[in-house]
Protein backbone atom coordinates (compact mmCIF):
# COMPACT_ATOMS: atom_id res chain seq x y z
CA UNK A 1 0.00 0.00 0.00
CA UNK A 2 2.92 2.27 0.75
CA UNK A 3 4.45 1.55 -2.63
CA UNK A 4 4.01 3.92 -5.53
CA UNK A 5 3.53 2.45 -8.97
CA UNK A 6 6.21 3.20 -11.61
CA UNK A 7 4.02 5.86 -13.24
CA UNK A 8 3.95 7.84 -10.01
CA UNK A 9 0.42 7.16 -8.90
CA UNK A 10 -0.77 5.74 -5.60
CA UNK A 11 -3.89 3.88 -6.65
CA UNK A 12 -5.77 6.64 -8.51
CA UNK A 13 -3.84 9.81 -7.80
CA UNK A 14 -5.34 13.20 -8.70
CA UNK A 15 -4.93 14.26 -12.32
CA UNK A 16 -2.99 17.38 -11.27
CA UNK A 17 -0.01 15.22 -10.31
CA UNK A 18 0.13 13.63 -13.77
CA UNK A 19 1.84 16.74 -15.17
CA UNK A 20 5.08 16.14 -13.34
CA UNK A 21 5.26 12.66 -11.70
CA UNK A 22 8.52 11.84 -13.47
CA UNK A 23 10.29 14.89 -12.03
CA UNK A 24 9.14 14.06 -8.52
CA UNK A 25 9.92 10.34 -8.73
CA UNK A 26 13.32 10.88 -10.34
CA UNK A 27 14.30 13.32 -7.60
CA UNK A 28 12.96 11.07 -4.82
CA UNK A 29 14.70 8.02 -6.29
CA UNK A 30 18.07 9.79 -6.43
CA UNK A 31 17.63 11.06 -2.90
CA UNK A 32 16.63 7.63 -1.53
CA UNK A 33 19.19 5.73 -3.61
CA UNK A 34 16.68 3.26 -4.99
CA UNK A 35 14.76 2.79 -8.27
CA UNK A 36 11.36 4.51 -8.59
CA UNK A 37 9.52 1.17 -8.48
CA UNK A 38 10.92 0.55 -4.99
CA UNK A 39 9.91 3.91 -3.52
CA UNK A 40 7.85 3.91 -0.35
CA UNK A 41 5.56 6.64 0.91
CA UNK A 42 8.11 7.29 3.63
CA UNK A 43 10.57 8.32 0.89
CA UNK A 44 8.25 11.24 0.12
CA UNK A 45 8.26 12.82 3.55
CA UNK A 46 8.30 16.56 4.21
CA UNK A 47 12.12 16.97 3.91
CA UNK A 48 12.06 15.12 0.57
CA UNK A 49 9.24 17.28 -0.77
CA UNK A 50 10.98 20.47 0.45
CA UNK A 51 14.20 19.35 -1.30
CA UNK A 52 12.23 18.70 -4.49
CA UNK A 53 10.69 22.18 -4.40
CA UNK A 54 14.16 23.72 -3.91
CA UNK A 55 15.40 21.65 -6.85
CA UNK A 56 12.64 23.07 -9.05
CA UNK A 57 13.65 26.64 -8.24
CA UNK A 58 17.44 26.42 -8.07
CA UNK A 59 18.31 23.68 -10.57
CA UNK A 60 15.44 23.86 -13.06
CA UNK A 61 14.93 27.61 -12.86
CA UNK A 62 11.18 27.39 -12.23
CA UNK A 63 9.40 30.50 -11.02
CA UNK A 64 7.79 30.76 -7.59
CA UNK A 65 4.39 30.53 -9.28
CA UNK A 66 5.37 27.20 -10.90
CA UNK A 67 6.83 25.97 -7.62
CA UNK A 68 3.55 26.73 -5.86
CA UNK A 69 1.56 24.97 -8.60
CA UNK A 70 3.69 21.84 -8.12
CA UNK A 71 3.18 22.05 -4.36
CA UNK A 72 -0.59 22.34 -4.85
CA UNK A 73 -0.54 19.12 -6.88
CA UNK A 74 1.51 17.38 -4.17
CA UNK A 75 -0.95 18.60 -1.52
CA UNK A 76 -3.77 17.19 -3.65
CA UNK A 77 -2.09 13.77 -3.80
CA UNK A 78 -1.40 13.67 -0.07
CA UNK A 79 -4.95 14.80 0.75
CA UNK A 80 -6.08 11.81 -1.31
CA UNK A 81 -3.69 9.53 0.59
CA UNK A 82 -4.85 10.87 3.97
CA UNK A 83 -8.33 9.44 3.45
CA UNK A 84 -7.03 5.97 2.62
CA UNK A 85 -3.92 5.57 4.76
CA UNK A 86 -4.48 6.94 8.25
CA UNK A 87 -1.46 4.95 9.44
CA UNK A 88 0.67 7.61 7.72
CA UNK A 89 -1.27 10.53 9.18
CA UNK A 90 1.74 12.17 10.81
CA UNK A 91 3.89 12.05 7.64
CA UNK A 92 1.00 13.29 5.50
CA UNK A 93 0.19 16.12 7.90
CA UNK A 94 3.78 17.39 7.75
CA UNK A 95 3.70 17.42 3.95
CA UNK A 96 0.33 19.20 3.90
CA UNK A 97 1.77 21.80 6.28
CA UNK A 98 4.42 22.90 3.74
CA UNK A 99 3.32 26.46 2.84
CA UNK A 100 3.20 28.08 -0.56
CA UNK A 101 5.90 30.65 -1.19
CA UNK A 102 4.98 34.30 -1.48
CA UNK A 103 5.90 35.90 -4.78
CA UNK A 104 6.23 39.50 -5.88
CA UNK A 105 3.23 40.74 -7.82
CA UNK A 106 4.12 42.71 -10.91
CA UNK A 107 1.96 45.66 -11.98
CA UNK A 108 -0.21 44.62 -14.89
CA UNK A 109 0.38 45.83 -18.44
CA UNK A 110 -2.51 47.48 -20.28
CA UNK A 111 -2.97 49.76 -23.28
CA UNK A 112 -4.07 53.38 -23.25
CA UNK A 113 -6.82 54.49 -25.62
CA UNK A 114 -4.23 55.85 -28.08
CA UNK A 115 -2.27 52.59 -28.00
CA UNK A 116 -5.47 50.57 -28.40
CA UNK A 117 -6.48 52.60 -31.46
CA UNK A 118 -3.03 52.06 -33.00
CA UNK A 119 -3.23 48.29 -32.40
CA UNK A 120 -6.72 48.03 -33.90
CA UNK A 121 -5.61 49.98 -36.97
CA UNK A 122 -2.57 47.74 -37.55
CA UNK A 123 -4.23 44.79 -39.41
CA UNK A 124 -4.57 45.27 -43.18
CA UNK A 125 -8.33 45.01 -43.65
CA UNK A 126 -7.91 44.66 -47.39
CA UNK A 127 -6.97 41.01 -46.71
CA UNK A 128 -8.98 38.15 -45.21
CA UNK A 129 -6.45 37.63 -42.43
CA UNK A 130 -6.44 41.35 -41.65
CA UNK A 131 -10.23 41.49 -41.31
CA UNK A 132 -10.21 38.41 -39.08
CA UNK A 133 -7.43 39.78 -36.89
CA UNK A 134 -9.06 43.21 -36.59
CA UNK A 135 -12.35 41.62 -35.49
CA UNK A 136 -10.57 39.40 -32.97
CA UNK A 137 -8.56 42.27 -31.49
CA UNK A 138 -11.60 44.53 -31.27
CA UNK A 139 -13.69 41.83 -29.57
CA UNK A 140 -10.87 41.01 -27.14
CA UNK A 141 -10.33 44.65 -26.16
CA UNK A 142 -14.05 45.25 -25.53
CA UNK A 143 -15.04 41.98 -23.85
CA UNK A 144 -11.84 40.99 -22.04
CA UNK A 145 -12.29 37.34 -23.02
CA UNK A 146 -9.42 34.97 -22.25
CA UNK A 147 -7.50 33.70 -25.28
CA UNK A 148 -8.94 30.19 -24.74
CA UNK A 149 -12.44 31.69 -24.73
CA UNK A 150 -11.78 33.65 -27.92
CA UNK A 151 -10.47 30.65 -29.83
CA UNK A 152 -13.38 28.46 -28.64
CA UNK A 153 -16.07 30.85 -29.96
CA UNK A 154 -18.25 29.67 -32.82
CA UNK A 155 -20.44 31.82 -35.05
CA UNK A 156 -23.56 30.86 -33.11
CA UNK A 157 -21.98 32.25 -29.92
CA UNK A 158 -22.27 35.78 -31.35
CA UNK A 159 -25.86 37.02 -30.88
CA UNK A 160 -26.51 40.06 -33.04
CA UNK A 161 -30.23 40.57 -32.31
CA UNK A 162 -31.74 42.59 -29.47
CA UNK A 163 -29.23 42.94 -26.66
CA UNK A 164 -26.19 41.89 -28.74
CA UNK A 165 -23.67 39.77 -26.84
CA UNK A 166 -21.25 36.86 -27.06
CA UNK A 167 -21.57 33.69 -25.02
CA UNK A 168 -18.51 31.76 -23.93
CA UNK A 169 -17.73 28.66 -21.91
CA UNK A 170 -15.14 30.04 -19.53
CA UNK A 171 -12.74 28.97 -16.82
CA UNK A 172 -14.22 26.69 -14.18
CA UNK A 173 -16.74 25.35 -16.74
CA UNK A 174 -18.87 28.46 -16.31
CA UNK A 175 -20.89 30.02 -19.12
CA UNK A 176 -21.24 33.77 -19.29
CA UNK A 177 -22.60 36.37 -21.68
CA UNK A 178 -20.80 39.63 -22.41
CA UNK A 179 -22.67 42.55 -24.02
CA UNK A 180 -21.28 44.28 -27.08
CA UNK A 181 -21.01 47.95 -27.99
CA UNK A 182 -22.31 49.18 -31.34
CA UNK A 183 -18.86 49.45 -32.94
CA UNK A 184 -18.10 45.79 -32.21
CA UNK A 185 -21.58 44.75 -33.40
CA UNK A 186 -21.04 46.45 -36.77
CA UNK A 187 -17.65 44.80 -37.31
CA UNK A 188 -18.89 41.39 -36.16
CA UNK A 189 -21.91 41.50 -38.46
CA UNK A 190 -19.65 42.20 -41.43
CA UNK A 191 -17.29 39.41 -40.43
CA UNK A 192 -20.11 36.90 -39.88
CA UNK A 193 -21.51 37.71 -43.32
CA UNK A 194 -18.08 36.98 -44.81
CA UNK A 195 -17.75 33.66 -43.00
CA UNK A 196 -21.07 32.34 -44.25
CA UNK A 197 -24.20 30.80 -42.71
CA UNK A 198 -22.68 27.77 -40.91
CA UNK A 199 -23.37 28.39 -37.19
CA UNK A 200 -20.96 25.86 -35.69
CA UNK A 201 -17.72 26.90 -37.42
CA UNK A 202 -15.06 28.80 -35.43
CA UNK A 203 -15.70 32.53 -35.22
CA UNK A 204 -11.97 33.09 -35.82
CA UNK A 205 -10.84 30.26 -38.08
CA UNK A 206 -7.58 29.52 -39.79
CA UNK A 207 -7.44 29.86 -43.58
CA UNK A 208 -8.17 26.11 -43.77
CA UNK A 209 -11.24 26.49 -41.53
CA UNK A 210 -9.78 25.06 -38.33
CA UNK A 211 -9.65 26.64 -34.91
CA UNK A 212 -6.86 29.10 -34.08
CA UNK A 213 -4.39 27.86 -31.49
CA UNK A 214 -3.27 29.88 -28.46
CA UNK A 215 0.19 30.26 -30.04
CA UNK A 216 -1.35 31.56 -33.26
CA UNK A 217 -3.27 34.25 -31.37
CA UNK A 218 -0.15 35.23 -29.43
CA UNK A 219 1.80 35.56 -32.70
CA UNK A 220 -0.84 37.68 -34.42
CA UNK A 221 -1.13 40.00 -31.40
CA UNK A 222 2.66 40.41 -31.28
CA UNK A 223 2.78 40.98 -35.06
CA UNK A 224 0.18 43.75 -35.03
CA UNK A 225 1.68 45.32 -31.90
CA UNK A 226 4.99 45.59 -33.76
CA UNK A 227 3.21 47.23 -36.71
CA UNK A 228 1.40 49.65 -34.35
CA UNK A 229 4.72 50.92 -32.97
CA UNK A 230 5.13 53.17 -36.02
CA UNK A 231 1.97 55.10 -35.14
CA UNK A 232 2.34 54.80 -31.37
CA UNK A 233 5.95 54.35 -30.15
CA UNK A 234 4.90 53.81 -26.51
CA UNK A 235 3.64 50.33 -27.43
CA UNK A 236 7.27 49.30 -27.86
CA UNK A 237 7.77 49.72 -24.11
CA UNK A 238 5.07 47.12 -23.36
CA UNK A 239 4.93 43.38 -23.74
CA UNK A 240 1.64 43.14 -25.62
CA UNK A 241 0.01 39.70 -25.32
CA UNK A 242 -3.59 38.46 -25.58
CA UNK A 243 -3.83 38.84 -21.79
CA UNK A 244 -2.81 42.50 -22.16
CA UNK A 245 -6.03 43.00 -24.13
CA UNK A 246 -7.98 41.45 -21.25
CA UNK A 247 -6.30 43.84 -18.82
CA UNK A 248 -7.10 46.72 -21.18
CA UNK A 249 -10.81 45.84 -21.15
CA UNK A 250 -10.81 45.74 -17.34
CA UNK A 251 -8.98 49.06 -17.03
CA UNK A 252 -11.42 50.71 -19.46
CA UNK A 253 -14.33 49.62 -17.29
CA UNK A 254 -12.59 50.71 -14.10
CA UNK A 255 -11.75 54.17 -15.44
CA UNK A 256 -15.36 54.55 -16.57
CA UNK A 257 -16.40 54.20 -12.93
CA UNK A 258 -17.63 50.59 -13.04
CA UNK A 259 -17.48 48.85 -9.65
CA UNK A 260 -14.86 46.11 -9.28
CA UNK A 261 -17.51 43.52 -8.38
CA UNK A 262 -19.15 44.13 -11.77
CA UNK A 263 -15.77 43.92 -13.50
CA UNK A 264 -15.18 40.58 -11.77
CA UNK A 265 -18.46 39.27 -13.24
CA UNK A 266 -17.57 40.73 -16.64
CA UNK A 267 -14.18 38.96 -16.70
CA UNK A 268 -15.46 35.73 -15.19
CA UNK A 269 -13.30 35.95 -12.06
CA UNK A 270 -14.06 33.29 -9.46
CA UNK A 271 -13.13 35.69 -6.66
CA UNK A 272 -13.85 39.43 -6.76
CA UNK A 273 -10.59 39.98 -4.86
CA UNK A 274 -8.72 39.06 -8.05
CA UNK A 275 -10.03 42.26 -9.64
CA UNK A 276 -8.38 44.42 -6.98
CA UNK A 277 -5.13 44.24 -8.97
CA UNK A 278 -6.60 46.77 -11.40
CA UNK A 279 -7.07 49.32 -8.62
CA UNK A 280 -3.33 49.10 -7.90
CA UNK A 281 -2.48 49.62 -11.56
CA UNK A 282 -4.54 52.78 -12.16
CA UNK A 283 -2.65 55.92 -11.12
CA UNK A 284 -5.62 58.11 -12.09
CA UNK A 285 -7.75 56.73 -9.26
CA UNK A 286 -4.88 57.23 -6.81
CA UNK A 287 -4.34 60.80 -8.05
CA UNK A 288 -8.05 61.56 -7.58
CA UNK A 289 -7.84 60.25 -4.04
CA UNK A 290 -4.75 62.38 -3.40
CA UNK A 291 -6.52 65.49 -4.69
CA UNK A 292 -9.10 65.11 -1.91
CA UNK A 293 -6.44 65.10 0.80
CA UNK A 294 -5.71 68.41 2.50
CA UNK A 295 -2.12 69.45 1.92
CA UNK A 296 0.09 70.01 5.02
CA UNK A 297 0.32 73.66 6.10
CA UNK A 298 -2.89 74.71 4.34
CA UNK A 299 -6.31 75.56 5.73
CA UNK A 300 -9.40 73.73 4.46
CA UNK A 301 -11.37 75.63 1.84
CA UNK A 302 -14.86 76.95 2.57
CA UNK A 303 -17.73 75.10 0.91
CA UNK A 304 -19.34 77.10 -1.87
CA UNK A 305 -22.66 75.69 -3.10
CA UNK A 306 -23.18 75.59 -6.88
CA UNK A 307 -25.77 77.76 -8.59
CA UNK A 308 -28.08 74.80 -9.11
CA UNK A 309 -28.24 74.15 -5.37
CA UNK A 310 -28.92 77.84 -4.61
CA UNK A 311 -31.74 77.91 -7.15
CA UNK A 312 -33.23 74.78 -5.62
CA UNK A 313 -33.13 76.30 -2.13
CA UNK A 314 -34.66 79.56 -3.35
CA UNK A 315 -37.61 77.65 -4.81
CA UNK A 316 -38.42 75.74 -1.62
Amino acid sequence: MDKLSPDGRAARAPAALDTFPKLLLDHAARRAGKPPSRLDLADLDAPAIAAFLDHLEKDRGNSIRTRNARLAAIHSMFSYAALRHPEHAALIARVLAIPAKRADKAIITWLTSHETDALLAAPDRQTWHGRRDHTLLLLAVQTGLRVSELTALTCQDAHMGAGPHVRCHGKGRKDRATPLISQVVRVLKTWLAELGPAPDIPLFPTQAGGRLSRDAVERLVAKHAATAEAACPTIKEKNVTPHTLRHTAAMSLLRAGVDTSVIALWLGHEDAETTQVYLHADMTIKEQALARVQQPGTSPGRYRPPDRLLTFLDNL
Side-chain angles (χ1 to χ4, degrees), residues 13 22 25 46 91 113 140 153 196 199 204-205 218 223 235 273 286 312:
K22 186 174 183 300
L25 290 179
L91 180 150
S113 58
L153 289 175
F204 302 112
E218 289 176 350
K223 169 189 169 185
I235 291 183
E273 286 296 316
K286 296 175 183 177
F312 171 76

Side-chain angles (χ1 to χ4, degrees), residues 153-158 191-205 209:
L153 289 175
T154 61
C155 291
Q156 62 190 354
D157 293 324
W191 176 241
L192 287 168
E194 183 169 354
L195 285 179
D200 56 349
I201 65 171
L203 183 59
F204 302 112

Side-chain angles (χ1 to χ4, degrees), residues 6-303:
D7 66 354
R9 296 183 229 187
R12 294 177 57 193
L17 188 65
D18 292 344
T19 58
F20 70 105
K22 186 174 183 300
L23 289 176
L24 177 59
L25 290 179
D26 284 349
H27 187 270
R30 288 196 303 271
R31 179 183 171 87
K34 59 176 75 170
S37 60
R38 304 289 297 173
L39 286 175
D40 190 273
L41 190 59
D43 296 316
L44 293 173
D45 57 6
I49 298 300
F52 172 66
L53 296 173
D54 287 341
H55 163 70
L56 291 178
E57 282 192 78
K58 296 174 182 176
D59 300 331
R60 294 185 60 83
N62 289 166
S63 66
I64 293 177
R65 186 183 295 272
T66 300
R67 180 255 192 207
N68 288 342
R70 304 301 196 200
L71 176 60
I74 291 170
H75 280 171
S76 178
M77 184 188 79
F78 276 80
S79 295
Y80 175 90
L83 299 174
R84 289 156 181 79
H85 304 292
E87 68 274 17
H88 295 293
L91 180 150
I92 292 170
R94 285 192 289 271
V95 171
L96 293 176
I98 298 175
K101 208 170 191 179
R102 298 191 67 175
D104 294 334
K105 292 185 178 179
I107 296 178
I108 63 170
T109 299
W110 53 284
L111 302 180
T112 65
S113 58
H114 182 52
E115 291 166 344
T116 301
D117 291 342
L119 179 65
L120 294 176
D124 179 7
R125 278 173 274 176
Q126 298 301 313
T127 67
W128 183 89
H129 283 100
R131 291 189 292 276
R132 179 200 65 187
D133 293 357
H134 173 74
T135 308
L136 185 151
L137 293 173
L138 183 61
L139 185 67
V141 164
Q142 194 252 291
T143 61
L145 293 181
R146 299 177 178 92
V147 63
S148 58
E149 295 166 347
L150 284 168
T151 57
L153 289 175
T154 61
C155 291
Q156 62 190 354
D157 293 324
H159 299 262
M160 298 290 99
H165 62 275
V166 290
R167 286 191 171 274
C168 73
H169 189 66
K171 194 174 180 181
R173 300 179 181 179
K174 291 184 177 180
D175 293 324
R176 73 179 189 278
T178 307
L180 303 174
I181 61 174
S182 57
Q183 178 191 5
V184 178
V185 171
R186 287 195 301 271
V187 173
L188 259 178
K189 281 183 176 179
T190 303
W191 176 241
L192 287 168
E194 183 169 354
L195 285 179
D200 56 349
I201 65 171
L203 183 59
F204 302 112
T206 63
Q207 186 75 63
R211 196 178 300 278
L212 280 175
S213 67
R214 173 185 292 270
D215 289 343
V217 176
E218 289 176 350
R219 287 194 297 270
L220 75 85
V221 170
K223 169 189 169 185
H224 296 308
T227 303
E229 290 174 9
C232 186
T234 56
I235 291 183
K236 192 173 184 178
E237 303 168 7
K238 300 181 177 181
N239 179 30
V240 183
T241 68
H243 216 66
T244 305
L245 308 184
R246 179 171 166 82
H247 291 326
T248 300
M251 292 301 292
S252 297
L253 292 169
L254 183 65
R255 303 188 87 176
V258 179
D259 187 81
T260 54
S261 60
V262 177
I263 298 175
L265 290 172
W266 187 285
L267 298 179
H269 283 164
E270 182 75 22
D271 186 351
E273 286 296 316
T274 306
T275 315
Q276 298 298 316
V277 66
Y278 299 110
L279 287 172
H280 294 290
D282 191 1
M283 282 301 286
T284 303
I285 292 178
K286 296 175 183 177
E287 288 168 352
Q288 290 171 351
L290 182 62
R292 298 180 182 181
V293 177
Q294 182 183 338
Q295 300 300 313
T298 62
S299 57
R302 183 177 178 181
Y303 174 69

